[in-house]
Amino acid sequence: MAAVLESLLREEVSVAAAVRWIARSAQSSEDDPGEAAALRSLRPLRKEFVPFLLNFLREQSSRVLPQGPPTPAKAPGSSAALPGRPGGPSRGGRGARSQLFPPAEPSSAAAAEAPPARRGGRRRGPGPGRERGGRGPGGLEEGVGGESPPWAAGRRRRSSGSPGSPGRARSDPPNLSNLEEFPPVGSLPPGPAGTKPSRRINPTPVSEERSLSKPKTCFTSPPISCVPSSQPSVPDTSPWGHGLPPGCRSLQEEREMLRKERSKHLQQSPTPACPTSESGSPLPSRTGNLTAEAADPARVSSRQRLELIALIYSSCIAENLVPNLFLELFFILQLLTARRMVAAKDSDLEPTPGAPDSLESPLFQSVHDCVFFAVQVLEHQFDKGTLKLLAENERLLCFSPALQGRLKAAYEGSVAKVSLAMPPSAQAVSFQPETDNRANFSSDRAFHTFKKQRDVFFEVLREWEDRHEEPGWDFEKGLGSRIRAMMGQLSAACSHSHFVRLFQKQLLQMCQSPGGTGGTVLGEAPDVLNMLGADKLGRLRRLQERLVAPQSSGGPCPPPTFPGCQGFFRDFILSASSFQFNQHLMDSLSLKIRELNSLALPQPEPSDEDGESDVDWQGERRQFAVVLLSLRLLAKFLGFVAFLPYRGPEPPPTRELQDSILALRSQVPPALDVRALLQQGLRARRAVLTVPWLVEFLSLADHIVPLLDYYRSIFVVLLHLHRSLVLSKESEGEMCFLNKLLLLAVLGWLFQIPTVPEDLFFLEEGQLDAFEVDTVPSEHGLDGMPVVDQHLLYTCCPYIGELRKLLASWVSGSSGRSGGFVRKITPTTTTTGLGAQPPHTTQGLQAQLAQAFFHNQPPSLRRTVEFVAERIGSNCVKHIKATLVADLVHQAESLLREQLVMQGQDGGDPAQLLEILCSQLCPHGAQALTRGREFCQKKSPGAVRALLPEETPAAVLSSAENIAVGLATEKACAWLSANITALIRREVKAAVSRTLRAQGPEPAARGERRGCSRACEHHAPLPSHLISEIKDVLSLAVGPRDPEEGISLDHLEQLLGQLGQTLQCRQFLCPPAEQHLAKCSVDLASLLVADQIPVLGPPAPRGLERGQARRLLHLLLSLWKDGFQVPVPLQLLLSPRNVGLLADTRPREWDLLLFLLRELVEKGLMGRPEIEACLGSLRDAQWPKDFSEELATLFNLFLAEPPMPEPQLRACELVQTNRGTVLAQS
Amino acid sequence: MILTKAQYDEIAQCLVSVPPTRQSLRKLKQTFPSQSQATLLSIFSQEYQKHIKRTHAKHHTSEAIETYYQRYLNGVGRNGSAPVLLELANEIATEVDYAPSLMARIILERFLQDHEETPPSKSVINSMLRDPSQIPDGVLANQVYQCIVNDCCYGPLVDCIKHAIGHEHEVLLRDLLLEKNLSFLDEDQLRAKGYDKTPDFILQVPVAVEGHIIHWIESKASFGDECSHHAYLHDQFWSYWNRFGPGLVIYWYGFIQELDCNRERGILLKACFPTDIVTLCHSIA
């Protein structure tokens, strides 16, 4: 491999040819025959070249960037010894840091187990012979062998170290990729170990959020200062040897060849370039020196060599031959912003005179070299996302004024600012009667159970929100049992689907917000003032933290995480551990993904005025962003749930086990046919929508998934896509720049996911070439439209922000200026014609004509018409419901009432009644279609007219109106003809049960109730007050009472007057209150009749005078007659208890009772027969003998009364005057 | 009438072991002349209910019931027209101290057990308590009636008063909403549409009160103390939030200031109809 580089350096092969050679398997005619010959011999090494180059650069830079944030790399060589060697890390020291570099294993062990069975032998070298050679004897070889294993072991930690032990993982204190914790500002004293070359691959920084992903994944390399000083320093004779994994036979062979070369050089050169020596020697102290070394173009060593390597490196980047574009950019920016060189000896800083072009000497010998290289690459590789910061970097000016000029121009030219204004998400899922009311549940029980579930779910969510940041709080411990209890109640399948809908909606509402973290949840207002006002210190502190420490996305290549609220939903799924729930959730997520993925997103329309199209684009881009973010979220959760049963901390330990798992898994159909969706997406040129969510889905796959044929084919497609997204190509029909960048970023990220095999990216070409995307070039899909903007890019790939952070830290570190700020970039707008529309459902010639009509109209016209048709059609159904169906329901009610009158109150069997009614009414449903047509005819044109621009030609307008009418009618009639009978039936059924229920206890309470007069100002006393007052009177009358207690007559009269007012006003009167008032008034009357009301007055409380009592009774009688609208229980006046009150009085006052009875009859409040019946039943009660006799007398007296009012009154007077005697006489 | 927790505790302190009679209420009003009567009554009622809930079980052991019944029988045996039952319930010396209406229910149930063949159903008991005339024993009927009219915290009359107060305030609130031209759906309309949880009013167009978005308004014609507020939060307010978003609760008789702590999360407390209501402007001038 190095030979390729060497030949490049010796200019035997041109860079262009080399890149062609790398990129394509076939030889190109452009190639010079000499070059071709030189390369042909190296052909088997071709696919190893890029990983080699990347590792080589990392390796080299580790000498220069000891303190800087490490650049991750994921090259296939590193995985060579992955499986089959568990327990590696345990051999390391206990301390977390020492584990980063566990002691070396003997190379023989490595070699013995090395054949990397994992990927089906693809990593194996060409033949055993080569392997032999690679491991050939020799002192140097031992050195190399001794060197590699520690690296390999360190690498292996990723796959086997601390499996599934987040607790331990958390104890790894430094987040190595966190620039806040390990700022590249100033050089830390590296210590003796600082001389040790950095390991490229290292443990993932672990934060709590990542407990899902393997905590040990090695994406980054540590700052050199982390390496314990006790680390044995193995002499390193090869500057790039670290990049060569023990399992990589071909590389080892290569290495040996080089070694021979080198020894030749060594013999020639009097000054040995000794990278070996640096490892052992302590560094010159650099403590305290926080300023960056000034980079000087004049001091660059071996310019030519750097230029060449920069060129080939940037060519690889440009051709997407590197797995992750942004990682490489990050690396370049690290070089650019390198502060100090951790160089060894002064002599190292000088170019090796003997071998200027060889790879023998360190590539980067000084900061100057680094900066030179970085600028060289940047000149080729333009990062548009960080223009300003780059432009502000004075090193650029120094090394390439021209590049800086271009950057400045690009920066100043970028004005577009598209923000992603999302609807506020701080809400719960709202209750929608159409989907949530009783009719949607199988039983009352299911309905009420779900009612409770909803509340429990939000209760749990609120508690999580309050407490998940508390130290020591644990989701499972805090909420697990409650969640499971709740899931346990969701017995019916229908309830599960309801709950899943709620869950999914809430997920989308809470987690869809930009950044995906949903910083404000559940009504927590984002208003800073509110937060401060809430006198919550904790909240203030959190706010402060948020301001001080910008959220780090965890390095340029973080593993998949569930940030913010997503964590709740993940933990909920885990804690619920419900098979049914997961299945329903997968079904629902899949459906929603399909739905959103196939959503017809707006097409751009060619517009004369830019302003207008801009306005349109704002909305359309926003819609795209919302759909894309939703899809990503849903797909992530689908991936999470779908692969949950298979997820484990590490790949299967042995090949046999793996094979048997593969055999099993390959039979399981995928939860969602993502391959088909991907292919559709590519074909329809909607990759920009499909691929990002697919990546989210795949990022949560388990270790086996990429090995399954089904998913493997998906990865192949993705790889091909990645390779094809060359940023520099911008031609007609190409994908837009930012669309490409988004895909490159997400794909690059995916290729770095721990579960994705490292070597997958460097597939043999054969597999890649076999794939051809079958796109229809004439069709313009979403890919060709500038749907992605900078904001969306950063929202989807927050890790890109790491680049910015790196630069920002440079800016703040070097010049003290405020950190840079990346502006939005003008998206490249392509003017494209009207895209082909997905075929509409309508068939026939008319439909074709309509299609043709739209073809030459702006797309907004079509959208408008479709929108109007959709809405009017829907409204039409509602209109029919409110008019025709409502009328039929009224008819049903009156028919039912007739029926009830005819059949008596029972009315017969309700089911039978319903059948009778439906058979009479349902035929009327046929009118619905006619009426529906009328409605659409009437309503659609106006709506279309209102929504289309005024200059729309009349003919176009009327066609549009007609089409809208047609579509709306079609929609409405289709629904109505299918459902009208069922609808009528349902509504009539509801009406029947309503009517039958109303038939119950209090028909008088409803019906025609008089309201208060229009002039009424509702100043009458409140019913509650009156009940309370009357109750007090009753309690006083009944006793016990203090001797001085009593009621004034005025008060009593006033009370009855107030009662009259209240009964007139009725504003605040409800039936129960009126009923109680009625009953209380009867009780009061009884007490009056029995002379039981203690009236205040000089000298002491006493009974009422008869005249006063009568006056009060008269008041009550008129209230009963005219005031009350509820039935007054007057028969209680003759209840044994109330009549019995008289028994206690001495002498007994029968005359008031007689008076009352007569008045009742006279006013028509009670009929004589009714009273007679009451009196009759009174006789049955047990009374004292004398009382029974008096009662009988009263009865006779009442019966004897002639039904003539006037004389009765007089007779009553008579009775009153001769009290007692009258009764005795009769 | 918004009270601090300390003020509330001071009032609650005076309510320990006070029987729920009109005399007690009169004294309470004299002790706290600055507080409104309605607020005091509401607090008293709620505190008394808490007390009853705490002691409920001990009055329902069969031994206790038997003791009460015997004492009742003895009492009315001596004098049927004396307030035997009422005094039994309010007896603090012998640690009975139970709501008269509830005591009446215990004795009535026990009485019916003796006199009916089948154990009385709840609805029969309730009906007799509503209308003691139905009680077959005249003496007991009077005793029960006396208990009910003298009890200011329990019983059918009190229930009715509470219900009426609640209804009146809903009507009041509805009028205020109409007056302010805020369109709403009321509980009945919501129920007709099949909503599973129904606040008093859902605003068809949300408004802002003191900077907080309001989707629904619940009227509570009581004092918001800790106990009742937490129960309401759990059974009603959060449920409304879960379905309709943030809303407003009006405790017409006041509440403990410290309870108004969920404003940020979407539950705003007020003791009256809000004055500064910000509505959505439809026309963009």
Side-chain angles (χ1 to χ4, degrees), chain A residues 87-340:
Chain A
S90 62
R91 298 183 205 194
R94 184 63 199 90
R97 301 238 171 145
S98 63
Q99 282 175 16
L100 301 180
F101 295 95
E105 288 174 64
S107 61
S108 57
E113 297 176 50
R118 191 150 83 105
R119 308 297 172 230
R122 273 177 297 104
R123 291 242 51 81
R124 275 184 214 144
R130 297 184 82 114
E131 291 186 22
R132 273 306 123 216
R135 256 182 290 143
L140 281 172
E141 197 55 40
E142 284 306 310
V144 174
E147 172 59 23
S148 295
W151 173 84
R155 181 71 181 81
R156 203 172 53 251
R157 189 173 178 273
R158 174 180 177 273
S159 56
S160 57
S162 57
S165 60
R168 192 175 131 205
R170 235 168 263 159
S171 69
D172 282 16
N175 182 352
L176 298 178
S177 68
N178 183 335
L179 297 188
E180 267 71 44
E181 283 178 37
F182 291 92
V185 185
S187 54
L188 299 161
T195 55
K196 185 110 183 87
S198 157
R199 296 331 195 239
R200 284 182 303 279
I201 311 293
N202 246 313
T204 302
V206 176
S207 71
E208 279 147 80
E209 278 180 347
R210 296 198 203 118
S211 52
L212 168 89
S213 63
K214 296 184 300 169
K216 64 222 179 274
T217 46
C218 315
F219 275 119
T220 57
S221 43
I224 207 80
S225 56
C226 292
V227 180
S229 54
S230 61
Q231 185 66 31
S233 60
V234 184
D236 180 18
T237 51
S238 160
W240 55 81
H242 309 291
L244 301 177
C248 182
R249 296 297 139 220
S250 54
L251 286 186
Q252 283 205 341
E253 186 191 12
E254 188 78 5
R255 190 183 302 156
E256 199 193 357
M257 279 157 51
L258 265 164
R259 231 166 278 294
K260 285 175 189 155
E261 277 293 299
R262 191 184 306 124
S263 61
K264 275 185 236 158
H265 279 298
L266 280 170
Q267 283 157 14
Q268 292 162 4
S269 163
T271 332
C274 49
T276 49
S277 59
E278 63 173 6
S279 54
S281 53
L283 287 162
S285 169
R286 298 185 197 281
T287 36
N289 185 356
L290 291 172
T291 55
E293 194 177 336
D296 182 359
R299 291 175 64 193
V300 174
S301 54
S302 50
R303 218 170 237 279
Q304 190 197 5
R305 193 174 59 149
L306 286 169
E307 270 170 10
L308 260 170
I309 296 178
L311 185 58
I312 190 143
Y313 177 54
S314 46
S315 302
C316 288
I317 295 175
E319 289 286 326
N320 286 334
L321 296 171
V322 296
N324 190 327
L325 165 69
F326 289 96
L327 268 187
E328 303 313 316
L329 288 175
F330 188 75
F331 173 65
I332 295 163
L333 295 183
Q334 274 188 309
L335 287 177
L336 181 68
T337 57
R339 309 245 158 195
R340 305 295 309 176

Side-chain angles (χ1 to χ4, degrees), chain A residues 18 66 152 158 181-182 332 395 399 482 487 553 576 651 657 664 690 706 792 794 816 841 863 896 1016 1144 1157:
Chain A
R158 174 180 177 273
E181 283 178 37
F182 291 92
I332 295 163
R395 281 178 172 181
F399 280 78
R482 233 181 306 164
M487 298 310 287
S553 61
L657 198 53
L664 271 175
T690 303
L792 183 61
Y794 272 77
T841 47
R863 279 206 302 278
L896 183 66
C1016 178
D1144 298 335
L1157 293 179

Side-chain angles (χ1 to χ4, degrees), chain A residues 455 465 523 1024 1039 1067 1083, chain B residues 145 150 168 175 239 264-265:
Chain A
D455 290 330
E465 204 203 1
S1024 61
Q1067 166 77 352
D1083 287 348
Chain B
Y145 187 76
N150 275 292
E168 289 153 13
D175 287 352
S239 294
E264 307 306 320
R265 292 193 119 174

Side-chain angles (χ1 to χ4, degrees), chain A residues 429-431 437 451 454-455 458 462 465-466 522-523 1023-1024 1031 1035 1039-1040 1045 1067 1076 1079 1083, chain B residues 22 86 130 142 145-146 149-151 160 167-168 175 193-196 238-239 241-243 264-265:
Chain A
V429 173
S430 72
F431 181 95
N437 72 12
K451 177 171 84 180
R454 179 192 289 265
D455 290 330
F458 284 110
R462 264 190 292 272
E465 204 203 1
D466 283 343
L522 291 185
S1024 61
K1031 176 173 166 285
S1035 75
E1045 276 188 304
Q1067 166 77 352
H1076 268 93
K1079 183 171 176 298
D1083 287 348
Chain B
R22 60 176 195 282
L86 183 65
R130 263 199 308 276
N142 285 336
Y145 187 76
Q146 189 172 42
V149 293
N150 275 292
D151 192 331
C160 176
H167 176 78
E168 289 153 13
D175 287 352
K193 283 175 178 254
Y195 282 81
D196 60 353
W238 286 130
S239 294
W241 188 97
N242 297 342
R243 288 157 180 79
E264 307 306 320
R265 292 193 119 174

